[in-house]
Structures are given as structure tokens and as C-alpha cells.
Amino acid sequence: MVLKKREMSTTENEGVYTDFSNDMTYGEYLQLDKILSSQKGLSDHHDEMLFIIIHQVSELWMKLMIHEINAAISSISTGDFQTSFKQLARVSKTQIQIIQAWDVLSTLTPSEYLEFRDQLGQASGFQSYQYRMIEFALGYKTDHVLQIYKKEPTLQRELEKAYIAPGLYDVSIKALANAGFEIDQRLLERDYSITYTPNQSVNKAWLEVYKNVNKYWNLYQLGEKLVDIEDCLQQWRFRHMKTVERIIGFKRGTGGSSGVSYLKKVLDHRFFPELWDIRTEL
């Protein structure tokens, strides 16, 4: 039996490439040497590895989200709705992965975290520039966070560029205007560095879209994709808040934020307000 198993194994592996003397390997393509050597803890505590990996993985997922959101903004701007739907759907699926990451981090107990928390100094997830890029792309602009990145001028310039750029909802509103809806002209020419606030003309347009789904199918699909993204982002924020509360209670965050109190406050913000309001009006 052992000989037969060996024979089968050999047969199944025939044709497998094993000589990489002059060819690129899987690990080289993914630069795994860099990725897998980047978990450098500041303590000897066993659970710091979990803490680092969860945050690194989340940052990688956020990189993909930014990549897809920016692509969707370009697609919507040119009227390529079908491509934008694929891109936005990928954002939502990626968000699910980040939401589930909190379940893994929540296995870290308060006592375990206290063993290495002081080693973090002032470093905090509050300083995640990619998360700020996502917020900016979704229309939530807060200028005070830009001060955090003075240490890295190149990074600060990228954030400032995103801060004044039109976001996902801005190009969606322009798509409504391009479809013939009467959108407040001041809104179409607004300062994009200011966080978006509800507008009656946008509310009226979305309401018409949802009342005439077949006529405005692309816009209807776009509206639902935006709702998917906001729904998932709020779930992520909620799981973030509950995980923080579970691990450190109502202590201040390592970066100086109010911790759970701050996280509860941002839960009240709505990125695409009219798309939620019309559900009551329909």
C-alpha cells in the first residue's frame, strides 16, 4: 500500500516545475521575504504578533479598497457604470474581510494587551492614513487629521490632494445631473474639501430614480452599491468600537483620542444621506 501511494504521488506531480534557477518563484513575485519579516514586535509577549498581523492585513485590504474606489470614481465620471459596479462590489466584499478581522482581534484579552500596550507609545490606528484616504474618497473631510502626517511630507501631500478632490458621492451626484435631473448648481461647483451635507435637489433626484427603477436602472444600481459600501463601513466602525471597548474599556487611545467615545460619535455620520432618507419617503 505504501509503494502504491508513492507511485500515485509521483504520477500526480509529474510536470510540476521545480527548477527556479533562472525563473521567478511565487515568494519572489509576492515579495514574501519583506512581508513575512515585517512583524517586528516591541515586546516579548506572545499576543503582540496577533496585534501586528491584524493591523497589517487590514491595511492591505484598505489598499485594495482605495484602488477600487478611485477606479470607480473614474468609471462613474466617464459614464462607465457597468465597470464601476464591479469595482464597487469588490469594495464591499473586501470590507467584509476587514469586518471579520475584528473577531480575531477580540480574542485578545485586556490583561494580554496591557502586557505590551505601553510599548506602542503614541502609535495608534487613529493615524492610519489609508483609512483617512477612504473617508476622504467617501466625502468625510476633517482637516485636523492632516496635521498628524507632518512627519512624512510626501504622504501629507497625497492626503491633501485627496482632501480637495471630488469623492465617490460627488461623481454620483454629477451622474444624476448628467441624466437630466435638476441638481443645485452650487452643489456641482462646491468646495470638495468640505464634508458633504444633505441637499433637497439630490433627495428629489434619488427619490425619482427609486420610483422608476426600470427607467433609471444604472443609477438605481449605483445607489444600491453606495448603500452597500456605507452599510459595511458602519458595521466595520461598530465592530471596531465594540472590540476597543472589550479590550480597553473607556480608556483613551494610545494616540490620544477619546477611544470608545470617539468611535461612538463617528457612527452617527452618514456618507450618502439622501440614499437613506428616501427609504422613509418611498
Side-chain angles (χ1 to χ4, degrees):
M1 288 295 291
V2 173
L3 287 174
K4 286 184 178 180
K5 284 183 179 179
R6 284 178 179 171
E7 289 172 3
M8 288 177 62
S9 177
T10 301
T11 302
E12 289 171 356
N13 290 326
E14 284 181 0
V16 174
Y17 202 81
T18 58
D19 183 5
F20 289 92
S21 303
N22 299 306
D23 292 293
M24 178 179 64
T25 65
Y26 169 81
E28 289 171 335
Y29 172 64
L30 296 177
Q31 298 188 56
L32 291 181
D33 57 334
K34 294 180 181 179
I35 295 174
L36 298 180
S37 62
S38 296
Q39 295 73 47
K40 301 184 185 301
L42 299 176
S43 74
D44 294 325
H45 197 274
H46 173 81
D47 295 299
E48 191 179 0
M49 180 67 76
L50 162 69
F51 191 79
I52 292 172
I53 288 177
I54 286 293
H55 288 85
Q56 288 182 337
V57 168
S58 294
E59 290 291 337
L60 284 172
W61 282 128
M62 282 192 276
K63 183 172 184 176
L64 178 59
M65 287 173 60
I66 293 167
H67 178 70
E68 297 296 344
I69 291 172
N70 287 338
I73 288 173
S74 297
S75 296
I76 296 167
S77 296
T78 59
D80 186 0
F81 291 105
Q82 295 306 313
T83 299
S84 75
F85 297 158
K86 175 64 178 291
Q87 292 158 342
L88 294 175
R90 185 172 291 164
V91 172
S92 297
K93 293 295 185 181
T94 304
Q95 287 176 294
I96 292 172
Q97 301 302 312
I98 296 182
I99 292 168
Q100 292 177 337
W102 293 119
D103 292 335
V104 183
L105 186 58
S106 66
T107 64
L108 180 68
T109 68
S111 298
E112 291 164 346
Y113 183 46
L114 284 174
E115 291 291 327
F116 62 87
R117 186 178 193 244
D118 288 345
Q119 301 295 322
L120 304 179
Q122 303 302 314
S124 165
F126 185 84
Q127 298 147 15
S128 169
Y129 79 88
Q130 289 200 123
Y131 178 70
R132 298 305 172 187
M133 293 284 279
I134 292 171
E135 283 192 329
F136 290 175
L138 298 184
Y140 184 54
K141 309 292 180 75
T142 47
D143 59 358
H144 70 275
V145 302
L146 294 174
Q147 304 306 311
I148 296 172
Y149 309 99
K150 285 183 177 180
K151 183 179 179 180
E152 302 170 272
T154 301
L155 184 56
Q156 187 176 38
R157 285 193 293 272
E158 282 298 307
L159 282 159
E160 288 172 346
K161 181 180 176 181
Y163 183 73
I164 63 174
L168 186 58
Y169 202 42
D170 295 309
V171 296
S172 298
I173 290 172
K174 284 191 175 181
L176 291 171
N178 292 338
F181 289 102
E182 293 184 10
I183 302 298
D184 188 341
Q185 190 62 32
R186 293 171 300 177
L187 190 62
L188 299 174
E189 300 170 353
R190 77 185 190 88
D191 180 353
Y192 298 119
S193 68
I194 299 173
T195 298
Y196 179 82
T197 55
N199 182 280
Q200 187 57 38
S201 67
V202 176
N203 184 284
K204 185 178 179 180
W206 281 124
L207 191 59
E208 187 67 18
V209 167
Y210 275 70
K211 285 182 176 179
N212 298 278
V213 173
N214 292 332
K215 183 178 179 180
Y216 301 110
W217 179 251
N218 281 337
L219 291 172
Y220 170 72
Q221 285 283 82
L222 175 59
E224 286 300 287
K225 289 289 186 290
L226 295 179
V227 169
D228 287 343
I229 288 173
E230 179 162 352
D231 190 353
C232 286
L233 186 61
Q234 293 294 53
Q235 289 184 52
W236 182 90
R237 281 176 160 180
F238 179 79
R239 291 295 296 123
H240 184 188
M241 182 268 292
K242 294 306 293 184
T243 303
V244 170
E245 183 177 3
R246 175 172 178 160
I247 296 174
I248 67 169
F250 283 81
K251 295 186 184 74
R252 295 192 74 83
T254 50
S257 74
S258 58
V260 170
S261 298
Y262 168 78
L263 296 172
K264 283 185 175 181
K265 181 180 178 181
V266 296
L267 278 171
D268 292 331
H269 177 75
R270 297 189 303 169
F271 294 91
F272 316 128
E274 293 87 359
L275 285 168
W276 296 96
D277 291 338
I278 61 168
R279 280 156 164 75
T280 303
E281 300 174 44
L282 284 170

